Amino acid sequence: MISKRIYVTFLILISFIAKASFILLPMDDTTQKNHLKAYGITFWCLDKKYKASWLLNYRGGSFLLPDAPEIRKECQIRGVSFEILSDNQSNIILNEIASPSQNMETVVLEKAPKIAVYTPKGKQPWDDAVTLVLTYAEIPFTPIYDEEVLSDQLVLYDWLHLHHEDFTGQYGKFYGAYKSTPWYIEQKKNAEDLATKLGYLKVSQEKGAVAKKIRDFVIGGGFMFAMCSATDSFDIALAADGLDICEPMFDGDPSDANYQSQLNYQNSLAFKDFTLERRPDKYEFSDIDTTEKRNIPMDTDYFTLMEFSAKWDPIPSMLCQNHTQLVKGFMGQTTAFEANVVKSSVLTMATCELNGEARYIHGEKGKGMFTFYSGHDPEDYQHKVGDSPTVLDLHPNSPGYRLILNNVLFPAARKKKLKT
C-alpha cells in the first residue's frame, strides 16, 4: 500500500515537473540551426494562444515558450533547435536577466499580430524580401493593395509592410532603362487603369492618397515597416502632397516649376531637407539615397547595429536582436540613407561605419511606429530586375533577415515606453 502511494506521488511529481518545464529557442550563433524558422515557431505558439517571452540580449535574443508536445513536434518538423528547461532552470535564467547588472530584459509576447503586406496582385513571394521570409518562416500574412487601403481595411491589421513600391507616381524611376520593355509598359498601364477605376485622374494622385491612408494607419496606432524604395518614395509622396512632381512621360503634363521649394517636410515621417531628382531618366528619387555617392567594396560593406539598454530602451533592443552586431551590407534602389536628412526625432539603429550612412531607422508618429530598412535583399548583394529568387534554405541564419522578423514579432510585445 505504501509503495503504491509512493508510486502515485512519484507520478504526480513527474507530472508537475513536466507541466512546469519550458522550451528555450536559443538564438545565439552556435546553437540555433534555423534562426528564421524560430521566429515562425514563436509566432505559431502565439497564434495557438500559448504564452511566450522574448529574452532580450540573452543568447542572441532567445525565445522562452511553455513545454508542450505539439510545440516540440513543430520545432522538430521545422528544423528549429530547442532546449528543455525545468522550472528551476528557467527561474535561474530569468533571475539572471532581471539583474540590474545585466543588459537584458524579459518581454512578454501577448498575441500574434495580424499582418498585411502592401503588394501588387500577382506578385510572387520572392519579389520582396519580407514576403519571402514570411513565407519561409511560415508566418501567415494577407496581401493588400490600393483598393483595400483606400477602403479603410487597414484597421483589420496590426502590422503593415510596404512592398518596393513607388508612391510618387513615377513607376519606380525605371523610365530611362526600361521604358520600351513589355513589363514596364504593362506596369504603367495597370497603374493608370487602377487609378481611373478608383476615381483619380493621375497615378501620382492615387498613390498620394494611399500614402496618406497608410500614414493615418500609423498615427492611429499601427506598425509600419518598409524597405528599399518604399521608404524614401513614401516620405517624398507625403512631403509633395498637392504638388505635381512628375514629368510628362509619367503623367502627361509638366511638373510644377518650383516644386522643390514647396515641399513640406513636416508631412514626412523620417526625412527632412532632401532634394528631389528631376531628371526622368535618372534611376533615383532624391538625395536621401546614397547608392551613387558611396564607394565601398562588396567585401567590406557591413553595417553595425547600435547597442541599446534592454531595460530602459526595450523597443530598439527588440528591433536589433541578433546573433551578431555586424551585418553584411546589401544594395537596392535605396541602398542607404544619407545621415543628415534623417529627422532628429528618428532613431538610427544601424550605420555603415565607413561612411556614416544610416541603414536601419525607427520612429513614432501619433500612437504608432514605423521602421525603415534600406536595401533590397539581405542575402542578394546587388539584386537586379529579373534575378532569380533568393533560396532561404541556404541562409537559415541570416542576420539581415532576422532584422525583418524582429519587426514582425515586435507588435506582439507588451509595450514599454521608449525612454531615449
Side-chain angles (χ1 to χ4, degrees):
M1 184 71 178
I2 294 176
S3 60
K4 184 176 181 181
R5 286 177 181 173
I6 293 174
Y7 178 71
V8 171
T9 303
F10 177 76
L11 287 180
I12 293 173
L13 179 61
I14 291 297
S15 175
F16 174 79
I17 292 173
K19 290 180 180 178
S21 62
F22 292 84
I23 290 176
L24 179 76
L25 303 187
M27 297 294 278
D28 54 290
D29 60 347
T30 58
T31 310
Q32 183 53 253
K33 291 185 296 185
N34 197 315
H35 287 91
L36 305 186
K37 285 187 179 288
Y39 287 89
I41 290 290
T42 305
F43 190 97
W44 180 87
C45 288
L46 294 173
D47 203 38
K48 294 281 187 179
K49 310 303 180 186
Y50 285 107
K51 294 181 180 180
S53 293
W54 201 345
L55 310 183
L56 303 186
N57 293 344
Y58 177 79
R59 294 178 65 181
S62 300
F63 299 106
L64 189 64
L65 311 173
D67 186 22
E70 64 173 344
I71 298 178
R72 294 192 194 192
K73 182 179 179 182
E74 202 65 28
C75 288
Q76 292 165 346
I77 291 172
R78 301 192 192 189
V80 172
S81 306
F82 65 96
E83 300 170 9
I84 303 300
L85 305 178
S86 67
D87 190 54
N88 184 55
Q89 289 172 316
S90 65
N91 283 335
I92 290 173
I93 291 172
L94 294 175
N95 286 335
E96 176 189 356
I97 292 171
S99 170
S101 65
Q102 298 294 327
N103 184 20
M104 302 179 188
E105 181 65 298
T106 300
V107 173
V108 176
L109 302 179
E110 297 184 303
K111 66 175 184 177
K114 295 179 180 178
I115 298 172
V117 173
Y118 175 83
T119 182
K121 299 294 188 293
K123 284 288 184 180
Q124 298 300 316
W126 54 80
D127 292 317
D128 172 72
V130 174
T131 48
L132 179 65
V133 75
L134 287 172
T135 302
Y136 179 75
E138 301 179 57
I139 295 176
F141 64 92
T142 302
I144 64 170
Y145 204 48
D146 294 355
E147 290 176 279
E148 290 83 0
V149 172
L150 293 174
S151 61
D152 294 320
Q153 293 185 38
L154 286 180
V155 297
L156 302 174
Y157 305 98
D158 304 303
W159 190 85
L160 172 69
H161 165 59
L162 306 185
H163 178 82
H164 299 274
E165 186 74 15
D166 174 7
F167 290 94
T168 70
Q170 298 175 93
Y171 310 106
K173 293 299 290 283
F174 287 116
Y175 178 79
Y178 298 103
K179 59 180 174 289
S180 299
T181 60
W183 68 262
Y184 179 87
I185 295 170
E186 182 181 7
Q187 179 192 71
K188 186 172 184 293
K189 183 180 184 303
N190 289 342
E192 290 170 344
D193 290 346
L194 180 58
T196 299
K197 176 183 176 182
L198 294 173
Y200 294 87
L201 297 176
K202 297 181 179 182
V203 172
S204 59
Q205 294 171 347
E206 188 258 328
K207 290 297 181 186
V210 169
K212 287 188 286 186
K213 284 285 188 181
I214 294 171
R215 175 205 60 195
D216 293 345
F217 164 77
V218 176
I219 291 173
F223 298 85
M224 187 263 279
F225 177 82
M227 285 188 72
C228 202
S229 60
T231 59
D232 48 353
S233 75
F234 179 81
D235 251 19
I236 290 169
L238 292 178
D241 184 30
L243 298 174
D244 186 343
I245 65 172
C246 296
E247 301 306 324
M249 64 286 298
F250 300 126
D251 66 354
D253 59 23
S255 61
D256 290 342
N258 299 310
Y259 65 66
Q260 177 63 47
S261 63
Q262 299 177 65
L263 294 175
N264 187 348
Y265 301 113
Q266 291 185 343
N267 289 343
S268 56
L269 297 186
F271 305 115
K272 63 176 183 178
D273 302 333
F274 49 83
T275 301
L276 300 186
E277 174 56 67
R278 295 195 72 124
R279 290 170 289 180
D281 57 350
K282 189 74 170 176
Y283 184 58
E284 191 64 89
F285 291 104
S286 74
D287 61 355
I288 294 172
D289 177 40
T290 67
T291 299
E292 296 186 354
K293 293 175 277 188
R294 67 202 316 262
N295 184 24
I296 303 174
M298 176 179 172
D299 58 351
T300 60
D301 193 356
Y302 286 83
F303 58 89
T304 304
L305 295 172
M306 303 295 189
E307 186 174 357
F308 299 94
S309 169
K311 290 181 172 61
W312 288 89
D313 293 326
I315 291 172
S317 293
M318 276 185 274
L319 297 178
C320 290
Q321 289 301 290
N322 226 309
H323 51 283
T324 176
Q325 202 171 356
L326 197 63
V327 182
K328 183 174 60 178
F330 53 100
M331 299 182 73
Q333 183 174 12
T334 303
T335 299
F337 311 125
E338 184 68 56
N340 62 11
V341 300
V342 177
K343 291 185 176 183
S344 59
S345 59
V346 173
L347 184 66
T348 296
M349 301 187 296
T351 60
C352 177
E353 294 188 349
L354 291 177
N355 62 3
E357 65 192 8
R359 295 298 312 253
Y360 187 44
I361 61 178
H362 176 75
E364 300 180 5
K365 184 69 173 178
K367 297 179 180 179
M369 301 180 188
F370 62 90
T371 302
F372 287 171
Y373 188 19
S374 61
H376 185 90
D377 186 323
E379 294 299 336
D380 185 350
Y381 183 73
Q382 194 170 7
H383 186 86
K384 297 179 180 178
V385 174
D387 281 358
S388 57
T390 297
V391 180
L392 284 181
D393 274 327
L394 302 177
H395 309 283
N397 309 107
S398 169
Y401 269 101
R402 275 199 67 178
L403 296 180
I404 297 173
L405 292 173
N406 286 341
N407 282 270
V408 172
L409 271 189
F410 171 58
R414 183 181 295 164
K415 305 302 179 296
K416 293 185 179 181
K417 185 173 176 59
L418 181 66
K419 294 187 174 66
T420 61

